[in-house]
Amino acid sequence: MAQTRTGDQALVREINLSIILNALHEQAPCSRAGLAAATGLNKTTVSSLVRQLSAAGFVSELGASTAEETGRPGILLQLNPAAGRMIGAEIGVDFIAVRATNFAVETLAERKEPTAPGSPQAAILERTCTLVAEVIRETRDCCAGTLGLGLGVPGLVDVGTGTLLFGPNLGWRDVPLRAMLEAAFAFPVYVDNEANMATLGETYFGVARGAKSVLYVSAGVGLGGGIVLDGRILSGATGFAGEVGHMTLVPDGLLCACGNRGCWETVVSQEAVFRHIRQAVAEGHPSALQAATGDDLRALTIPLVVQAAAAGDGVARAALDETAVYLGIGLASLINALNPETVVFGGMLSLAWLWMHPTVARVVAARALRWSAHAARILVAAHGSDACVMGGIATVYHHILSQPFPIKKEELRSKNYGSAAFPPLATAANVPA
């Protein structure tokens, strides 16, 4: 464990650099005088910090402003889009997604392709590396280099080592993902549970921006969750907080991939929707989804179900409504327990939010304590099924804002890059006197 430095001028400067970057993240474009006013740092200190950040490529000038109180034009500053690329990636049960952005979080390149569930682990990891290499090559003329890669995976992750301990829906155990990716790429790699990363993505760049307490729930093949308290991901005693999909909701219910019965994800997931549709059709209820799948309901997808629901298909709407009831029941319990100000629903199933939201709102209103329910905004993720990929980018972004100067590759293995160890974002209030 690194020793805590107190009364150290280098530490004070490191914190101040982070303060400037965070202020620009929140308020850019902003002049040096504006940064001094926003942070409480004196103008001389701000100018020195901006020079260092500009020399490193993190800050760039936009041009003169005439809004200075002195009447003299100030030079407006921003985070430099060309400071470097950030890469977010997700390995799902049936897909791989990779996205590269610049430092202004503008998408430069992306890849998303389906994979066959149960594919060999080595093949999935090799394909992931190939896609990462492709977006790097495609953006080589846009950025100075790669600032880092954030990878989200479904399952229990030891964020300190970047190891996927157990991915029930992938069928993977004890996979040292960070070490494997670090061996392939010469930049920092961060690995976390996909829902935790998606939570960070929505908190930085989505509908939960600025919220201090956030509950994120993601439903697709499985169901996961992430929790933000006071602006930080809640990790729990062993780093596994947020595994809400494995709350028991139906005693003696269906067998879950985790080995338990009646987990929340057995009744709120893609398969839960598909199961309801297949059962309804087997009982003689006609659906447009029969024709849409060529009478092979094994080919169902959430986009097909949403399309059928939009066209008024009763079977599709009933399946989404039943799933929404169970989603509302689980959310009501979590709202009672956590009292969040913002609840975000993401993942593939969020594509059906238009049809699910009325039922979810009704169930939460009926089952949650009215004071907690009133305080909680329930919103659909801004980035939908891409929230995890954006969370990977947010993870890289967070580390740059917290520690702007990159760590050399030979130092990587002695560092803890897990989100459970995220330092709080610097503010003027926590600068040592």
Side-chain angles (χ1 to χ4, degrees), residues 34-47:
L35 286 173
T39 63
L41 299 171
N42 67 57
K43 292 182 180 180
T44 300
T45 298
V46 168
S47 293

Side-chain angles (χ1 to χ4, degrees), residues 119 304 338 358 386:
S119 295
L304 281 176
L338 300 172
D386 295 327

Side-chain angles (χ1 to χ4, degrees), residues 20-22 24-26 28 57-60 77-83 103-104 397 401:
I20 294 298
L21 288 179
N22 280 285
L24 287 172
H25 164 64
E26 295 292 339
F58 289 113
V59 174
S60 61
L77 305 169
Q78 66 172 355
L79 297 179
N80 181 14
F103 201 51
Y397 194 71
L401 295 193

Side-chain angles (χ1 to χ4, degrees), residues 4-74:
T4 300
R5 296 176 292 170
T6 58
D8 185 331
Q9 289 302 309
L11 174 60
V12 172
R13 189 168 186 84
E14 185 176 287
I15 293 171
N16 286 343
L17 288 164
S18 178
I19 288 171
I20 294 298
L21 288 179
N22 280 285
L24 287 172
H25 164 64
E26 295 292 339
Q27 301 183 30
C30 188
S31 68
R32 290 167 177 80
L35 286 173
T39 63
L41 299 171
N42 67 57
K43 292 182 180 180
T44 300
T45 298
V46 168
S47 293
S48 174
L49 296 169
V50 168
R51 277 196 301 273
Q52 184 176 352
L53 290 168
S54 297
F58 289 113
V59 174
S60 61
E61 295 183 344
L62 277 174
S65 166
T66 58
E68 298 297 317
E69 290 184 4
T70 61
R72 292 179 296 175

